[in-house]
Amino acid sequence: AQQNTTIPFLPEVNPSADAAFTIEFWARPEASDNDDAPVFNRVSEGDRSGWVFFQRDQATGWNLRMYDGVGSDVGWDLTGGRYTFNKWSHVVAVWNGSQARLYVDGAVADTTNAAGKSGNYNASTSAIFSVGSYDNGGSPINGRVDEVAFYPSALTGAQILAHFRAASGPAAGSYASMVKGDGALIYLQQNPPQISIATVDQNPTLTFTG
């Protein structure tokens, strides 16, 4: 069954439109209907606010939409970074207070707003942060989402590349330390709980993680 993780509205995760922020996550798609939402922070009713990521088809890649507060109009629409089914992708969006940038696997995927978009952003005052689908469970991703982080600053391209490289490096825990060290306000390690029982000299030891 599809599942999502939701966080009730937090002002810290919805800063004013002129304030910088960064959203980062890893996703491992297994299929696509061109409308999957791995990370969501949008008010969908009325004049839309906030933002949402979409996983489009493999040839199109990842899509960030930021809403401008006029009906369902999109203020910023960035797309890029092809992905492969059953392989992890590192996806990051940076808002510097006036412009958005999309990075995939440590590289810039798109900085040019789609034609006809206003270039405005309407920060939300009530959005529910959701991982895995819309806040109501709609448009679920068919696959996995992990290591979701929100920063109250615009990460640099060098920082984003360092994160991507750290995740595939040999040092255990270096990626998590880097995320926390760069000031993540939210860091969701979507690791399922695991329980193991080991018996040594008839003494059982239970280990729980997650």
Side-chain angles (χ1 to χ4, degrees):
Q2 296 289 348
Q3 297 180 342
N4 65 343
T5 298
T6 59
I7 299 175
F9 173 77
L10 292 174
E12 301 93 325
V13 184
N14 295 271
S16 61
D18 60 356
F21 63 88
T22 301
I23 314 108
E24 176 180 36
F25 65 93
W26 289 78
R28 186 178 184 272
E30 297 173 2
S32 175
D33 63 8
N34 203 39
D35 195 42
D36 312 82
V39 185
F40 174 95
N41 188 71
R42 183 184 78 187
V43 170
S44 302
E45 296 75 23
D47 293 328
R48 290 185 173 181
S49 60
W51 49 265
V52 60
F53 283 95
F54 290 102
Q55 170 206 324
R56 304 304 186 186
D57 61 71
Q58 292 182 84
T60 302
W62 302 97
N63 175 215
L64 169 72
R65 290 191 167 184
M66 304 176 72
Y67 296 85
D68 67 7
V70 180
S72 60
D73 288 356
V74 177
W76 278 85
D77 192 347
L78 301 180
T79 306
R82 295 182 179 182
Y83 63 87
T84 302
F85 289 142
N86 301 306
K87 182 179 179 181
W88 287 100
S89 289
H90 181 231
V91 185
V92 182
V94 177
W95 173 251
N96 68 5
S98 61
Q99 293 181 314
R101 297 172 69 88
L102 178 66
Y103 294 79
V104 176
D105 291 344
V108 174
D110 194 12
T111 62
T112 303
N113 201 5
K117 306 307 179 185
S118 67
N120 298 322
Y121 170 56
N122 184 32
S124 188
T125 58
S126 60
I128 295 173
F129 191 97
S130 180
V131 177
S133 72
Y134 288 179
D135 57 345
N136 63 8
S139 292
I141 184 172
N142 190 333
R144 301 179 183 181
V145 186
D146 200 1
E147 306 292 326
V148 181
F150 180 93
Y151 307 81
S153 62
L155 294 188
T156 66
Q159 287 175 302
I160 292 166
L161 179 58
H163 286 202
F164 174 66
R165 288 176 172 170
S168 57
S174 62
Y175 180 80
S177 297
M178 189 173 290
V179 170
K180 295 172 184 177
D182 283 337
L185 282 179
I186 288 180
Y187 183 30
L188 303 176
Q189 297 173 287
Q190 303 285 101
N191 301 322
Q194 296 180 344
I195 299 175
S196 62
I197 300 176
T199 301
V200 179
D201 297 330
Q202 298 183 339
N203 296 316
T205 299
L206 185 147
T207 301
F208 177 89
T209 62

